[in-house]
Amino acid sequence: MASLDDVTVLVPTYDEAETIGQVVDDFREAGFDDVLVVDGGSADGTDDVAAEHGARVVYQTGSGKGQAVREGVREYVDREYVLMLDGDATYRADDAEAMLEPLFEGEAEHVIGDRFADMREGAMTRFNRVGNRLINRGFAYVHGEEFGDILSGYRAFTRESFGRMTLSSDGFGIETEMAVECAKRGIRTAVVPITYLPRPSGSDTNLRPIRDGGIIFLELYRRAKTNNPLFYFGSLGVLSTITGLVIAVYVAVEWITVSVSHEVLAVVSGFGIIVGVQLLMFGVLADLILTLHRDTLRKIDEETESG
């Protein structure tokens, strides 16, 4: 039976000296003997505070949360399970047992903590709430899975399932990327309600809502290319076709009303419509191929299990 001795608590940090000590203390008091802090070059002594409170501190070679997570798991974790959270004291050690239970019971390989289940007052601005809701709905529509809160930084997963993911994001897009990989690769995922606390006074967030939100939306769309090609190529095809039609209407109106021809625009219009239709056709074909591929993999898995 798995226990806390099989878990590494992974905390990527950057300038979290005000809160990292409390985070390390909370999880060590909860029974975790391996708290790994991956420091991204903090200038406020985050590494020293973490070490003083009993954490194992390592330094990432690059920059960004995504890179810290990848490097931390692949190079410094040798235990079977990983419990990942931010170092800003917004996640509770009291929720760790619920996060790990689906892994210990073999019910899931990846667990996401749903912050919206119990979000305390002041934990998230109204603007960020709206942005999170839009991103979650977009994810569910594009990737066909409802994970509740794909931007949550509180995760628990097996090291083996993490190794099956193809991750490249360096910043805050890492959570989105992990959710997409879970949906794409059929990694069994559970959603657990957690409490999300406001940041303690005196600590500053490293999140930039507009910039990071834009990166996350782009990551969702980019990843749709291999997980939902009909949406990816279809949306590009519709945009190209509509653009071509709008230009065509303008050229026709100009020709009829003032007898002015726009040969170049007419060519651009035709090109846009042709490209748009081709992209739509390609999206349909790609989606068909992906469906056949998934069916083949499913049959192979069923035969392997029955054999």
Side-chain angles (χ1 to χ4, degrees):
M1 180 66 180
S3 68
L4 300 187
D5 293 335
D6 301 311
V7 180
T8 291
V9 178
L10 174 65
V11 190
T13 60
Y14 179 74
D15 286 346
E16 300 284 8
E18 293 291 332
T19 55
I20 191 61
Q22 175 188 337
V23 172
V24 175
D25 286 344
D26 287 348
F27 281 86
R28 286 180 60 82
E29 290 172 6
F32 295 93
D33 65 349
D34 186 26
V35 180
L36 174 65
V37 171
V38 183
D39 187 68
S42 299
D44 64 349
T46 295
D47 52 344
D48 293 331
V49 175
E52 289 171 2
H53 286 259
R56 180 163 57 106
V57 180
V58 297
Y59 301 92
Q60 66 184 99
T61 56
S63 62
K65 181 179 180 180
Q67 199 277 339
V69 172
R70 293 196 307 273
E71 188 170 331
V73 175
R74 292 169 181 169
E75 297 187 20
Y76 299 104
V77 174
D78 57 8
R79 298 191 179 187
E80 186 176 357
Y81 304 104
V82 178
L83 183 65
M84 184 184 87
L85 64 144
D86 298 330
D88 57 5
T90 56
Y91 299 108
R92 303 188 312 164
D94 291 345
D95 292 321
E97 183 178 351
M99 291 288 293
L100 291 167
E101 184 177 357
L103 302 183
F104 289 173
E105 297 296 328
E107 299 171 356
E109 301 168 277
H110 191 99
V111 180
I112 300 173
D114 183 3
R115 298 170 296 173
F116 293 96
D118 182 21
M119 185 174 293
R120 300 297 171 85
E121 184 177 356
M124 187 181 294
T125 65
R126 184 179 298 275
F127 178 76
N128 284 352
R129 286 189 187 221
V130 172
N132 271 262
R133 293 297 191 190
L134 289 174
I135 289 171
N136 279 293
R137 289 177 182 175
F139 175 85
Y141 177 76
V142 174
H143 297 283
E145 295 283 355
E146 179 56 68
F147 290 157
D149 184 13
I150 68 167
L151 300 185
S152 174
Y154 208 178
R155 304 288 180 111
F157 48 86
T158 63
R159 191 159 56 95
E160 186 275 334
S161 68
F162 187 87
R164 293 178 1 231
M165 295 181 177
T166 301
L167 304 172
S168 59
S169 175
D170 288 333
F172 285 98
I174 184 66
E175 288 91 356
T176 303
E177 201 171 36
M178 292 172 77
V180 172
E181 286 292 295
C182 285
K184 177 181 178 181
R185 301 187 185 280
I187 295 173
R188 290 175 295 131
T189 304
V191 179
V192 171
I194 62 169
T195 297
Y196 188 56
L197 304 171
R199 292 180 64 100
S201 59
S203 64
D204 297 322
T205 180
N206 295 316
L207 180 67
R208 299 294 179 265
I210 296 178
R211 180 200 65 185
D212 294 323
I215 292 173
I216 290 167
F217 270 114
L218 287 175
E219 181 64 24
L220 274 178
Y221 187 73
R222 184 176 70 85
R223 288 275 173 163
K225 179 168 53 179
T226 54
N227 202 38
N228 190 345
L230 180 58
F231 171 80
Y232 181 83
F233 293 105
S235 59
L236 290 176
V238 169
L239 179 62
S240 179
T241 301
I242 291 176
T243 301
L245 289 173
V246 169
I247 295 175
V249 169
Y250 171 76
V251 171
V253 170
E254 285 284 286
W255 172 254
I256 294 171
T257 58
V258 294
S259 298
V260 175
S261 60
H262 296 281
E263 290 86 355
V264 174
L265 287 179
V267 172
V268 171
S269 170
F271 180 78
I273 293 172
I274 293 172
V275 169
V277 172
Q278 288 180 333
L279 284 171
L280 283 168
M281 293 174 62
F282 185 79
V284 171
L285 291 173
D287 188 69
L288 176 61
I289 293 171
L290 179 62
T291 300
L292 292 173
H293 175 67
R294 286 173 173 169
D295 287 343
T296 301
L297 290 179
R298 179 177 55 79
K299 291 177 180 178
I300 292 174
D301 291 338
E302 290 175 353
E303 291 177 0
T304 302
E305 292 176 0
S306 62

